[in-house]
Amino acid sequence: MVHAWSSKAVREAEEPLLAAGQPLMATASRALATIVLDRLKLTRGRVAGARVVALVGSGNNGGDVLFAAAFLAGRGLAVEIVTCGLSIHPGGEAAIRRTNARLVPAAEASVEAVASCDVVLDGVTGIGGQPGLREPAAGFFVALEEALARQHRRPLVIAVDVPSGGGVDSGAVAPGMLTADVTVAMGAAKPVSLLPPAARAGGELVVVDLGLALDPARAEVIRLEEADIAALWPSPDALAQKYTRGVVGVLAGSSTYPGAAVLATAAAVRTGVGMVRYRGPDDVAHAVLAAHPEVVHGAGRVQASVLGSGIGTGDLMRLDQVREALEAAIAAGEPVLADAGALAVLPDRVPASVVLTPHAGEMAELLSARGPAITRAEVERDPVAALRRAVEATGATVLLKGEVTLVAGPGTPIYSQAEATPWLATAGAGDVLAGLIGALLAGQAARVRLDPAHAAALAAAGASVHGRAARRASNGGPISAMDVANALPATIGAIAQSGQTPERQTHGGRMVR
């Protein structure tokens, strides 16, 4: 599990160590220099002859970079320091002046020379910075990005804590923000590395351990990894039967969009739930049963429901059925996955056991109906703010689909999952996600009843598996939504197997080691 803490929490964790005289900057700068040397060996095959340009501001991140640059200069690398603020860290400046590294103000630096170096170290803004850059850094960074775009060969860009200009706690971006290949987080990951849209500019995340005492329960953002998903996923034991494994009801699809029902039930069947019940018109039910004969057509007892996929806002009869099913599930305390048409008939307030799965356009409609109007572009520009507003406005657990999928519920951290391939942007992918998460909710319905906040972790796990299945199905090429559904069993099986210790793996009553 990757945890990211707010800049305030990180500063508070640093204070007792600094008061005790711990050399945090020395540790951080030496780690940064080591990472630069290791990456140079990987990319160039050697360190000798490499050129490093350090972009520094006046804060402690600039100090980290200055000390690291001084160490690199001492190793014989050609180092240039471009100062992008009114001042630089005094101790770091003193260390640089003891080397043969060059100090150049941004106003006098050549962007072409920077663009042609081997490594750029970005330490202009730190964890206290706000989105955007001031002059002279702003103009220099815009010119540098333009120069990099003209280069056939791009240098390795390593950012310290945050690509300069990014919103550390919000994930916001600003013009001129330099895209990094690697972000080196000092002490702990910061939200900017996990939150869109800035996350795409951060590259690979490397965390340097500084010994900070940070409580995982106070993390602002969480990213589930394979072991976390394995621990969350319901797994049948020897006494399991179809009813104990969970029954999910699917009220999705219409005569206009029958494929949504086929895809949602396909995902539910392949996710490992005990039974799938389908409620819908006979013509759609025929398509569902032709594809999945194990699905049961008709009403009956369920532990969770998937509502709304493939039901348009003009299909009043189906929308009434969705509204009734939603109200009944809430009254019974059953978890619900509300997608597409179900978002249009959502009550003003719902419990956290109701998981909403809007894309950016649907999120804009949902929020505009409950407060100040907002556009799809505004949601995409600041998805974190939109997510938080939706949770507050509805009381639900909300999953905002996108390049990085975000999930949050009342009182939970934000879950951020980014396993998907761009090929997943295809018709029907959301229907597969709905069926997948609905089945997962059914398999853990008892837990969600006791702890509605658990729905957020399950939705995040479902989003991760959805993305992983898409990558497995794609293998670098195009996919259809049904390809993703078909890849679910192997994806889930691989995750479950990875989460088992040798002592837990059995076959035919025998231990497998």
Side-chain angles (χ1 to χ4, degrees), residues 497 500-513:
Q497 196 71 11
Q500 291 184 341
T501 62
E503 289 73 21
R504 289 179 58 196
Q505 295 177 29
T506 62
H507 177 70
R510 294 182 293 106
M511 199 73 68
V512 177
R513 296 187 181 276

Side-chain angles (χ1 to χ4, degrees), residues 408-495:
T412 75
I414 294 176
Y415 291 86
S416 165
Q417 301 301 142
E419 293 84 354
T421 167
W423 293 109
L424 187 55
T426 186
D431 304 321
V432 172
L433 179 65
L436 190 169
I437 296 176
L440 189 53
L441 290 170
Q444 296 230 21
R447 172 77 182 273
V448 175
R449 282 172 178 268
L450 291 173
D451 179 16
H454 189 58
L458 294 178
S464 177
V465 168
H466 188 241
R468 292 168 188 265
R471 285 198 176 274
R472 178 182 288 266
S474 167
N475 196 28
I479 51 174
S480 69
M482 190 59 82
D483 292 333
V484 180
N486 288 335
L488 287 173
T491 304
I492 295 166
I495 291 171

Side-chain angles (χ1 to χ4, degrees), residues 1 23 26 67 118 255 341 456 509:
M1 190 177 293
F67 280 110
D118 296 294
S255 298

Side-chain angles (χ1 to χ4, degrees), residues 58-438:
S58 57
N60 287 339
N61 277 34
D64 293 338
V65 171
L66 286 168
F67 280 110
F71 179 84
L72 295 171
R75 289 287 301 269
L77 279 71
V79 175
E80 180 175 301
I81 311 298
V82 177
T83 59
C84 299
L86 299 178
S87 62
I88 58 176
H89 188 277
E93 181 179 8
I96 281 294
R97 292 195 181 280
R98 291 193 290 269
T99 72
N100 61 359
R102 296 178 62 239
L103 273 165
V104 184
E108 301 173 15
S110 164
V111 292
E112 286 76 14
V114 176
S116 63
C117 73
D118 296 294
V119 178
V120 174
L121 293 179
D122 176 7
V124 175
T125 62
I127 65 172
Q130 299 300 314
L133 291 166
R134 299 175 181 174
E135 295 295 349
F140 181 82
F141 270 62
V142 169
L144 178 57
E145 277 286 18
E146 292 173 352
L148 289 171
R150 295 191 296 269
Q151 293 278 123
H152 176 68
R153 171 187 167 277
R154 181 183 172 95
L156 179 71
V157 178
I158 300 178
V160 179
D161 274 323
V162 52
S164 289
V168 179
D169 292 333
S170 68
V173 298
M177 186 171 157
L178 189 62
T179 300
D181 299 291
V182 182
T183 296
V184 180
M186 297 304 180
K190 318 305 184 296
V192 66
S193 293
L194 302 181
L195 296 177
R200 72 171 70 98
E204 178 188 351
L205 174 63
V206 178
V207 179
V208 174
D209 184 5
L210 298 180
L212 305 184
L214 286 160
D215 182 0
R218 290 188 61 198
E220 291 284 316
V221 186
I222 290 173
R223 176 160 294 168
L224 300 178
E225 297 181 293
E226 192 170 73
D228 309 309
I229 297 165
L232 283 166
W233 214 267
S235 180
D237 58 25
L239 300 178
Q241 41 100 345
K242 62 187 176 184
Y243 296 109
T244 62
R245 292 182 59 197
V247 180
V248 61
V250 177
L251 202 167
S254 60
S255 298
T256 305
Y257 304 110
V262 175
L263 290 166
T265 53
V269 165
R270 287 161 174 76
T271 296
V273 75
M275 181 189 293
V276 178
R277 293 187 185 275
Y278 177 69
R279 290 178 59 193
D282 288 343
D283 57 343
V284 180
H286 290 324
V288 169
L289 294 173
H292 315 297
E294 57 271 86
V295 172
V296 176
H297 180 211
R301 181 67 186 274
V302 299
Q303 277 75 54
S305 297
V306 175
L307 306 177
S309 300
I311 299 176
T313 55
D315 194 340
L316 301 183
M317 181 179 296
R318 288 291 275 160
L319 285 179
D320 282 342
Q321 292 172 349
V322 169
R323 183 184 292 106
E324 292 171 5
L326 179 58
E327 291 172 353
I330 292 172
E334 294 169 359
V336 174
L337 186 293
D339 182 41
L343 301 176
V345 296
L346 202 68
D348 288 340
R349 301 289 297 177
V350 296
S353 55
V354 176
V355 179
L356 315 183
T357 56
H359 54 58
E362 291 167 333
M363 178 69 96
E365 293 175 3
L366 180 74
L367 294 177
S368 296
R370 286 166 167 76
I374 184 172
T375 65
R376 178 180 189 135
E378 289 171 322
V379 171
E380 292 173 337
R381 189 159 50 246
D382 195 348
V384 175
L387 179 73
R388 287 176 168 148
R389 183 179 156 190
V391 172
E392 183 178 355
T394 64
T397 296
V398 183
L399 181 152
L400 177 56
K401 293 179 278 197
E403 175 190 8
V404 177
T405 293
L406 302 178
V407 184
T412 75
I414 294 176
Y415 291 86
S416 165
Q417 301 301 142
E419 293 84 354
T421 167
W423 293 109
L424 187 55
T426 186
D431 304 321
V432 172
L433 179 65
L436 190 169
I437 296 176

